Amino acid sequence: MTADQRLDQLEPLVSQTLAVADRHTAQLKQLVNIVTVQSDNIEFVLKELVDVKDAIAATDTKIGSLDSQVAALGAKVGAIDNKLDRIIDLLSGNK
């Protein structure tokens, strides 16, 4: 077999192999694009999650402050209630 005959046999195989490699390269490029988009989406969601976490922490702080204020108001209402009871007792003649 001559060198030209061997090349004639190898040429279709090499061509087919290169075609498969080109398809795989195109598929890999598509996968890279998909992974990049998904990565951007995940990064966006994570940033939003951090913002939500911060908002929840701020809300928890506000709720804690409101709880303290409500407790203080409750104490004041209790003191006023006691004073009113004392006034009523004094007015009704009970000492």
Side-chain angles (χ1 to χ4, degrees):
M1 181 176 288
T2 66
D4 285 338
Q5 289 173 331
R6 278 189 227 132
L7 284 176
D8 288 342
Q9 287 179 339
L10 289 175
E11 187 177 4
L13 294 175
V14 170
S15 176
Q16 184 180 14
T17 302
L18 290 175
V20 169
D22 288 343
R23 269 198 328 270
H24 287 171
T25 301
Q27 289 171 341
L28 286 173
K29 286 180 182 178
Q30 287 177 336
L31 286 174
V32 166
N33 289 335
I34 290 169
V35 168
T36 301
V37 168
Q38 291 301 325
S39 174
D40 291 345
N41 290 342
I42 290 170
E43 185 177 344
F44 173 77
V45 169
L46 288 175
K47 284 180 182 177
E48 290 295 316
L49 186 61
V50 167
D51 291 344
V52 168
K53 179 184 168 198
D54 292 344
I56 289 171
T59 302
D60 285 346
T61 301
K62 288 178 184 177
I63 289 172
S65 174
L66 288 174
D67 284 344
S68 298
Q69 291 174 3
V70 167
L73 284 174
K76 287 179 183 179
V77 167
I80 290 171
D81 192 37
N82 288 337
K83 288 177 183 178
L84 287 175
D85 286 344
R86 177 71 179 137
I87 291 170
I88 291 170
D89 286 344
L90 289 172
L91 291 174
S92 63
N94 299 333
K95 292 187 180 184

